[in-house]
Amino acid sequence: METLNYLRIPPELLQAVLDNPFEGMVIIDDQGIIRHFSRANEPLYQITASEAVGRHIRDVIPTSGLPEVVHSGKPHFGDTFDMNGRKVIVNRYPIKLGGKIIGAVGKMIFHDLKAFIALKHKIGELENTVRRYELEIREIYRARYSFADVIGKSAKLNHAKDAAERLAASASPILLIGESGTGKEIFAHAIHQASSRRNHSFIRVNCASIPSELFESELFGYKAGAFTGALKSGKPGKFELAHRGTIFLDEVGELPLGLQAKLLRVLQEKEIEPLGSPRPKMIDFRVIAATNRDLEERVRTGYFRRDLFYRLNVISIQLPPLREIKEDIPVLAGHFLMKLRRRMSSSVSAIAPEVMAIFLAYDWPGNVRELENVMERALALCQDSTILPEHLPESFVRVRTDSASEGIKPKLNDDLLHLAVHDAERDQLLEALRRTGGNKTEAAALLNIHRTTLYFRIKKYGIKPVNIGRTGE
Ligand SMILES: Nc1ncnc2c1ncn2[C@@H]1O[C@H](COP(=O)(O)OP(=O)(O)OP(=O)(O)O)[C@@H](O)[C@H]1O
Ligand SMILES: [Mg+2]
């Protein structure tokens, strides 16, 4: 009674707890004598509590595991045990006083296993659902491009491609720098695809388009009921979705200063705190950032945090603007011709030399994306088999006149043009042969040329079977 006084629990309250009707509880002392037998047990053992108390546990429950717990001092949780032909789940644990075992408690968790089995079943179903959603998320957030989709063989592009391929396997952050339309997004996908994280998500965050007030909930997520208007289920943030994968911070140079601090913290700590959650969560991610801005300049002018810049700029890869890799224009134009032909079910199969000349003279402020768009427009307009200058936008036709009459813009060298057309034609031929598995009749049909022309070109470009196999690139 002294102990009870010390606990300040009135004895009748304690009694009510021990004897509550929802729990079957048995307490024995170190001699195995029943000291407490809650009334919930009465119908199960067909003995009244007052009859049970004072008797040895084995007399009342012959199979009880409680004497063993007193003996070993070790608890047993979740044991199933048979009672009148029905299984029940029991937790048993020793009670100690001053390091000495003075007895043991047995508590029945489920009088009826049915409830337990139903719960287990439900959990199994939920686990399946989670697995299904994980697969779906992986599908939604997988990388869509690999290095095979990066077209071009200029030294500058190759340099970038080689570096990216080599660094894909490392865990370091990578900063992709390049003007709009130079392939930063393609590169980010390809790096993820070539890394050991390829089977996990690739999550793109457009730093230029997240409203400040939503930044934290978008990136770090929130728990159910974190704020009014929050989803009931809570929402995972982008970082959480990127767990074990790659997070691609696109247009990172546009991120407002206030948010840069928050981003830096996550990159340093590698943990997030979802709004409304009491605990931070460790996240394993790789960062790829991209910008078309001169970030160093932004740092100097105070628009970009120096510490964040250093954190992102561990390795930087510069993607060349198209005007600096003009030798790639023919092969890129040829690539888009092939790709768009298929998509648009067009029968256009060639690009007139004049068009290629204009392409080579043009400045391409929109880079590869602009080339892709121009090709798409031309294919849509072209009724015949060859793209002609008339299928190009106004501004392009002016390039031709300008460069022809006044010699401004990069001058078109006849040799270069010849080479370019040569290259484009050869690449188209190779692509057609590859896609038809070397079948010349089919390749000729694909290119919309006569078989004899095809033979002539194969000879002209010295194409050998080995060139069309997969051994080449
Ligand atoms: N080397 C390349 N080979 C094939 N396609 C390319 C290449 N570079 C860019 N592209 C294509 O050009 C388009 C623009 O590329 P991407 O979206 O990667 O550019 P970006 O650098 O992210 O541009 P922005 O800064 O405007 O977002 C895409 O359709 C992409 O597939
Ligand atoms: Mg982009």
Side-chain angles (χ1 to χ4, degrees), residues 212-248:
S212 288
E213 65 279 12
L214 292 185
F215 182 83
E216 285 181 285
S217 70
E218 281 291 307
L219 264 65
F220 312 141
Y222 56 77
K223 284 274 171 236
F227 51 88
T228 35
L231 289 177
K232 266 222 188 74
S233 52
K235 186 183 150 161
K238 301 275 192 188
F239 275 98
E240 203 170 340
L241 290 172
H243 184 49
R244 305 179 71 193
T246 303
I247 192 153
F248 174 42

Side-chain angles (χ1 to χ4, degrees), residues 181 184-185 204 248 250-251 290 369:
K184 296 185 294 293
E185 182 150 0
R204 173 172 178 261
F248 174 42
D250 206 2
E251 313 212 32
R369 180 183 292 115

Side-chain angles (χ1 to χ4, degrees), residues 35-166:
R35 293 305 194 93
H36 173 74
F37 193 88
S38 66
R39 267 175 293 172
N41 285 320
E42 290 179 345
L44 301 168
Y45 297 100
Q46 293 172 1
I47 183 171
T48 64
S50 50
E51 281 170 340
V53 170
R55 290 173 66 177
H56 194 275
I57 182 78
R58 294 271 191 232
D59 292 344
V60 180
I61 313 172
T63 56
S64 172
L66 280 176
E68 159 63 18
V69 172
V70 171
H71 182 70
S72 69
K74 289 200 187 103
H76 286 263
F77 293 112
D79 275 357
T80 53
F81 123 90
D82 224 43
M83 194 180 56
N84 302 336
R86 282 198 319 176
K87 280 197 187 308
V88 291
I89 294 182
V90 190
N91 285 342
R92 304 187 190 92
Y93 46 89
I95 5 181
K96 297 182 183 175
L97 192 67
K100 195 171 161 280
I101 296 166
I102 58 163
V105 181
K107 264 183 178 182
M108 240 177 271
I109 304 301
F110 290 99
H111 290 237
D112 186 350
L113 261 197
K114 263 198 223 128
F116 177 73
I117 289 166
L119 188 63
K120 202 172 152 225
H121 187 72
K122 175 108 191 145
I123 289 172
E125 264 179 10
L126 287 173
E127 278 175 345
N128 278 338
T129 311
V130 168
R131 215 164 296 135
R132 220 174 37 244
Y133 280 129
E134 272 175 358
L135 284 176
E136 232 164 82
I137 285 177
R138 198 176 297 171
E139 185 50 32
I140 293 170
Y141 293 120
R142 82 194 156 83
R144 291 182 202 290
Y145 305 101
S146 70
F147 282 113
D149 297 301
V150 178
I151 307 296
K153 36 195 172 185
S154 59
K156 280 188 183 173
L157 188 73
N158 260 335
H159 181 73
K161 217 164 124 176
D162 286 350
E165 268 186 291
R166 211 163 355 96

Side-chain angles (χ1 to χ4, degrees), residues 149-151 180-186 332 336 368-369 372:
D149 297 301
V150 178
I151 307 296
S180 178
T182 49
K184 296 185 294 293
E185 182 150 0
I186 256 201
L332 276 165
F336 290 129
V368 184
R369 180 183 292 115
E372 187 171 8

